[in-house]
C-alpha cells in the first residue's frame, strides 16, 4: 500500500489526518462512532472510496460500543449506521458501504453479540480488501489510455489518500508509470480546501511522479500551452446516464478540455455508480461552511459576514466525458448499456 490512508490496526481504526497534510503527517485512532463521523465530516478522511471504507469500520466500532455498554447490539449498530449516513451526502460509496454492513447485520442478527461483531469486522475487512483490488484493476484498465510519454491534468485528489490502495484517477497514472511510461502531472490546487496542492502533490512526490501544482484559474492556459494529453479525475457519484459528480471545479475543467480537444476521463469503481439516479441533476450536492472560503488560508480572506456559496461538488454532463474507467473496463457514451452489462456480470 503506498500510503496507509486507512488501517485496522490493534483493533482500532487508524487514519491519516488529511487536514494536516502536507505540513504534518499524523495518524489518528478512532475509538468511537462519533470520532469516525467527525473525521468524515471534517475531511480528516475523504475521497469517495475512503469514506466508504472508513464508515464500514465505523459500523464495527458501533457494534463494539453497544457490546461494551451492554445494550442491544443490533439496534446499537443500526444507530451507528444512521449516524455515519448523516456525515456527507454526495459520495455514494458511503451509502453503498453502509448498506452492505446493514445487510450483513440483518443476516447475522440472531447470533451471539460477539459473533455479530466479528461478522461485521469480516465484512468491513472485505470492503477494504475489495477496494484495494479494484484500485489496481482500474489502474490496469486505464493505463492504456496514456501514451508512452504523457502529460496529464488532474483535479482534487483521487489517489492513495482517497482510497484503500493507490486511487482511481491516480491509479491510472501509477499503473502507466509501473508499465514503464513517462507521465508528468499538472495538479489543480482545488480551492477551497486544496486537495490538489496539499494531497495530490504530496502523494505524487512520495511516489516519485513528476508533479506541477497550478491554481485552478490557470487550467485554461495550461491546456492551451502545455501539450496536455488528457484530463483524468475521480468521481463521487455517477448517475445511470454517465453524468459525473466530482469535486467543485471538475465541470469547468471538462468544458475547458472539450474546447482544447483534450480527452476528459473519469476513473471510479462500480460502487460510485448509482443506477437508481437516472440523471446527474438528482445527485445531492453537499454545501459546506462559509469559513472554508472566508478563512481559507488560516486568515481572513473575505470580509466577515459576506454572503458565501460553497458547494463541494459539481456535476459534469456525460456528453463532456470521453470515457469512464472502472474495474470492469473502459466505457464510452452512451454509458447506460455498459453500466447495465457491468452490473449484470458482477
Ligand atoms: O471533498 P472530498 O475531498 O472528499 O472530495 C473528493 C473528490 O471529489 C474525489 O475526486 C472523489 O471522491 C474521488 S476519490 C477516488
Amino acid at each position: 500500500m503506498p500510503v496507509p490512508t486507512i488501517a485496522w490496526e490493534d483493533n482500532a481504526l487508524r487514519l491519516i489526518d488529511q487536514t494536516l497534510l502536507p505540513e504534518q503527517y499524523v495518524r489518528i485512532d478512532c475509538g468511537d462512532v462519533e470520532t469516525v463521523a467527525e473525521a468524515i465530516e471534517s475531511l480528516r478522511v475523504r475521497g469517495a472510496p475512503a469514506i466508504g471504507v472508513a464508515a464500514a469500520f465505523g459500523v464495527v466500532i458501533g457494534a463494539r460500543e453497544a457490546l461494551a455498554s451492554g445494550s442491544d447490539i443490533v439496534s446499537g449498530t443500526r444507530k451507528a449506521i444512521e449516524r455515519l449516513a448523516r456525515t456527507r451526502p454526495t459520495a455514494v460509496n458511503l451509502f453503498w458501504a453502509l448498506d452492505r454492513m446493514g445487510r450483513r447485520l440483518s443476516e447475522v442478527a440472531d447470533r451471539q453479540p460477539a459473533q455479530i461483531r466479528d461478522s461485521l469486522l469480516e465484512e468491513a475487512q472485505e470492503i477494504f480488501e475489495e477496494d484495494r483490488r479494484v484500485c489496481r484493476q482500474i489502474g490496469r484498465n486505464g493505463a492504456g489510455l496514456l501514451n508512452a510519454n504523457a502529460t496529464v491534468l488532474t483535479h482534487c485528489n483521487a489517489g492513495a489518500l482517497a482510497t484503500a490502495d493507490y486511487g482511481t484517477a491516480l491509479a491510472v497514472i501509477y499503473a502507466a508509470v509501473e508499465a514503464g511510461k513517462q507521465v508528468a502531472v499538472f495538479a489543480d490546487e482545488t480551492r477551497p480546501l486544496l486537495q490538489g496542492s496539499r494531497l495530490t502533490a504530496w502523494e505524487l512526490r512520495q511516489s516519485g511522479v513528476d508533479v506541477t501544482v497550478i491554481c485552478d484559474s490557470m487550467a485554461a492556459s495550461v491546456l492551451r500551452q502545455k501539450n496536455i494529453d488528457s484530463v483524468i479525475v475521480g468521481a463521487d457519484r455517477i448517475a445511470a446516464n454517465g453524468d459525473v459528480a466530482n469535486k467543485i471545479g471538475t465541470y469547468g475543467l471538462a468544458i475547458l478540455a472539450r474546447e482544447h480537444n483534450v480527452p476528459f476521463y473519469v476513473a471510479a469503481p462500480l460502487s460510485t455508480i448509482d443506477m437508481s439516479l437516472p440523471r446527474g441533476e438528482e445527485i445531492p450536492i453537499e454545501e459546506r461552511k462559509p469559513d472554508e472560503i472566508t478563512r481559507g488560508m488560516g486568515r481572513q480572506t473575505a470580509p466577515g459576514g459576506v454572503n458565501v456559496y460553497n458547494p463541494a461538488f459539481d456535476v459534469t454532463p456525460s456528453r463532456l466525458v470521453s470515457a469512464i474507467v472502472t474495474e470492469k473496463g473502459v466505457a464510452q457514451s452512451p454509458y447506460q448499456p455498459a453500466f447495465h452489462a457491468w452490473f449484470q456480470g458482477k
Side-chain angles (χ1 to χ4, degrees), residues 210-289:
D210 177 342
V211 58
T212 304
V213 173
I214 58 168
C215 298
D216 301 340
S217 51
M218 297 166 190
S221 295
V222 166
L223 279 160
R224 191 156 66 187
Q225 295 165 358
K226 296 287 183 186
N227 291 323
I228 303 295
D229 296 289
S230 54
V231 175
I232 310 181
V233 298
D236 288 84
R237 195 184 297 224
I238 301 175
N241 69 346
D243 291 348
V244 174
N246 190 49
K247 179 53 56 194
I248 190 76
T250 302
Y251 173 36
L253 195 55
I255 295 171
L256 292 176
R258 177 59 54 93
E259 168 68 18
H260 292 89
N261 287 318
V262 171
F264 181 88
Y265 300 125
V266 174
L270 247 54
S271 53
T272 301
I273 300 176
D274 184 351
M275 294 300 278
S276 75
L277 299 185
R279 288 175 304 278
E281 289 93 316
E282 289 163 64
I283 299 174
I285 300 295
E286 176 182 10
E287 274 190 46
R288 294 187 60 86
K289 288 198 304 252

Side-chain angles (χ1 to χ4, degrees), residues 18 40 43 45-51 88 91 93 155-159 161-163 167-170 190 193 195 199 233-237 245-248 250 267-269 272 286 288 312-313:
Q18 299 189 32
I40 296 172
L43 274 58
V45 61
R46 32 66 50 204
I51 293 171
R88 296 193 75 192
N93 308 61
H155 189 71
C156 195
N157 173 265
L161 288 165
T163 61
T168 58
L170 297 193
T190 316
L193 296 180
Q195 288 92 332
L199 308 178
V233 298
D236 288 84
R237 195 184 297 224
N246 190 49
K247 179 53 56 194
I248 190 76
T250 302
T272 301
E286 176 182 10
R288 294 187 60 86
F313 302 96

